[in-house]
Amino acid sequence: MEDNARLLSLLGSIAIGILGFQFCRKVLPWIYSNIVGPKLMGSSIKLDALGKWAVVTGSTDGIGKAYARQLARKGLNLVLISRSLEKLTLVAKEIRDEFSVEVRIIDVDFTGSEQIYERIRNETAGLDVGVLVNNVGISYNHPEYFVDCCNNDPQFLRNIVSANVHSVTHMTAIYLPGMVVKRKGLIINISSTAGVIPNPLLCVYSATKAFVNKFSDDLQTEYKQHGIIIQSVQPGFVATNMSKIRKPTLFAPSPDTYVKSALATVGIATQTAGYLPHALLQLAIHFTEAVCGEQFARNVVLKNILSTRKRALRRQEKEKQK
Ligand SMILES: NC(=O)c1ccc[n+]([C@@H]2O[C@H](COP(=O)([O-])OP(=O)(O)OC[C@H]3O[C@@H](n4cnc5c(N)ncnc54)[C@H](OP(=O)(O)O)[C@@H]3O)[C@@H](O)[C@H]2O)c1
């Protein structure tokens, strides 16, 4: 009896030890990077001390425009890069008028050939760029099976990789060398929660976003000792044209709310959901995977995305009939 009691108490102590170890290893850093750091302490990085200029891709709408406005509010001059010259001109004027900073614009299509990067390099040569936000990205029109989405539009396969992957690596290649020389700089790469959770029916999109996370993570290890921060930001839904969510909610905030929250994590977390409700969502999925098994979590997500697809197809059908 006594031996059994001793064995039970030993097993109990080991279990408590493992739980304690896991708590210190996983839970405490999560609490620090999602709550204590951004909400209670705030980012200590002075963005305007990194350089006079910030470059933002996909900056005429949504998350990119919100980053541009927040950076201008902090006193940085801006290079806005997007596809539509008309929208760029309007946004540049809006930001100049409101924040009295210099704003330059470059109209390029990131699904285009590599020559666009030579143009961007030439048009920004000599600028003291301290912050680069690789935000531009495109997604599916609606969740779809790979065969159906890509056989109907093979060009889409090339475009999505160009806009979501090549833009990140090529833009980084333009501005990182200058940051290395100055031994300071910040590169924010906009990934997605889709890159860190199961995300069937958007598999090309989510794979490009997983690339962004991996690229950012390893690049941060390479350049941390050079004083450079490389951050991968992984939003859940944000109310923008891309998500087709018009009205912001707690779990799909406005781009301004989202970006204010994400900027508070700079210098605190290098891989981040950027916004507490999105971090909780990621946590809930990872918790489900750990407790109920990965297959169960995948099936839950698949069911959810299939119903989004069904709604989108029904909407499409109705529009065709109009
Ligand atoms: N919204 C979400 O729920 C969500 C969630 C997770 C991750 N994200 C990521 O966040 C980033 C921004 O998304 P968003 O929702 O803010 O998108 P958005 O509202 O659709 O805005 C996209 C911006 O990118 C520009 N753009 C689009 N295609 C372009 C191209 N081929 N060449 C140059 N510029 C282009 C658009 O400019 P023009 O209109 O002038 O072309 C616009 O300024 C993306 O990387 C996306 O994957 C978004």
Side-chain angles (χ1 to χ4, degrees):
M1 276 300 262
E2 232 175 69
D3 281 352
N4 280 352
R6 253 196 233 126
L7 184 66
L8 276 178
S9 115
L10 180 67
L11 289 176
S13 307
I14 291 173
I16 290 170
I18 291 173
L19 280 177
F21 176 71
Q22 288 296 349
F23 185 79
C24 294
R25 201 170 71 89
K26 291 211 164 143
V27 183
L28 290 182
W30 189 94
I31 293 174
Y32 172 72
S33 57
N34 289 291
I35 302 171
V36 177
K39 303 251 174 262
L40 305 181
M41 295 159 64
S43 173
S44 60
I45 308 294
K46 295 254 165 295
L47 298 180
D48 55 348
L50 300 175
K52 289 194 175 117
W53 289 82
V55 176
V56 186
T57 66
S59 38
T60 49
D61 243 317
I63 295 172
K65 181 177 173 188
Y67 266 104
R69 289 178 53 82
Q70 296 287 339
L71 294 171
R73 181 169 280 128
K74 291 179 192 298
L76 283 137
N77 297 323
L78 295 175
V79 180
L80 306 179
I81 312 182
S82 258
R83 196 168 33 183
S84 147
L85 185 58
E86 202 183 329
K87 278 168 79 180
L88 278 164
T89 310
L90 281 176
V91 174
K93 180 175 175 352
E94 176 191 315
I95 292 179
R96 269 187 216 112
D97 290 352
E98 193 170 343
F99 302 107
S100 305
V101 294
E102 271 186 67
V103 185
R104 295 193 186 182
I105 57 175
I106 306 177
D107 60 321
V108 295
D109 185 336
F110 281 102
T111 63
S113 75
E114 252 119 77
Q115 282 152 356
I116 62 171
Y117 298 103
E118 267 326 291
R119 192 174 148 214
I120 293 170
R121 187 192 292 280
N122 292 338
E123 292 194 20
T124 57
L127 297 185
D128 174 20
V129 175
V131 180
L132 165 65
V133 184
N134 281 317
N135 163 77
V136 72
I138 58 176
S139 185
Y140 295 32
N141 190 31
H142 59 76
E144 191 48 278
Y145 285 94
F146 180 78
V147 168
D148 294 325
C149 116
C150 300
N151 275 5
N152 294 338
D153 186 6
Q155 183 68 27
F156 170 74
L157 281 181
R158 217 191 64 81
N159 287 352
I160 194 166
V161 176
S162 299
N164 296 9
V165 173
H166 293 159
S167 70
V168 176
T169 50
H170 284 67
M171 293 297 291
T172 300
I174 296 176
Y175 298 108
L176 184 58
M179 293 177 180
V180 172
V181 171
K182 288 191 302 182
R183 294 194 71 81
K184 57 183 179 181
L186 165 66
I187 300 178
I188 298 175
N189 294 327
I190 307 300
S191 169
S192 168
T193 290
V196 286
I197 63 165
N199 211 52
L201 280 81
L202 290 164
C203 65
V204 184
Y205 175 74
S206 39
T208 63
K209 294 303 184 178
F211 171 92
V212 173
N213 294 334
K214 177 70 176 151
F215 173 69
S216 307
D217 198 33
D218 287 341
L219 200 67
Q220 174 64 107
T221 309
E222 277 179 49
Y223 287 98
K224 193 172 178 201
Q225 77 260 31
H226 293 80
I228 292 155
I229 299 171
I230 292 151
Q231 187 188 46
S232 187
V233 176
Q234 304 147 354
F237 284 125
V238 178
T240 67
N241 290 341
M242 179 185 280
S243 65
K244 302 189 178 75
I245 298 171
R246 306 257 166 271
K247 214 170 140 223
T249 62
L250 178 66
F251 280 93
S254 71
D256 279 340
T257 303
Y258 178 78
V259 169
K260 248 181 233 157
S261 165
L263 271 176
T265 67
V266 169
I268 290 168
T270 49
Q271 299 269 322
T272 175
Y275 175 67
L276 186 56
H278 292 173
L280 288 169
L281 197 85
Q282 286 187 13
L283 191 68
I285 291 170
H286 293 318
F287 186 74
T288 311
E289 283 177 330
V291 174
C292 309
E294 288 184 357
Q295 200 50 51
F296 178 83
R298 283 182 191 145
N299 289 343
V300 170
V301 175
L302 176 62
K303 212 169 149 198
N304 201 284
I305 298 186
L306 275 172
S307 66
T308 308
R309 171 179 177 266
K310 207 167 161 186
R311 280 197 304 276
L313 290 177
R314 228 183 283 138
R315 240 192 337 264
Q316 237 178 36
E317 205 46 48
K318 265 192 198 157
E319 265 155 33
K320 263 192 215 156
Q321 284 166 4
K322 269 185 199 166

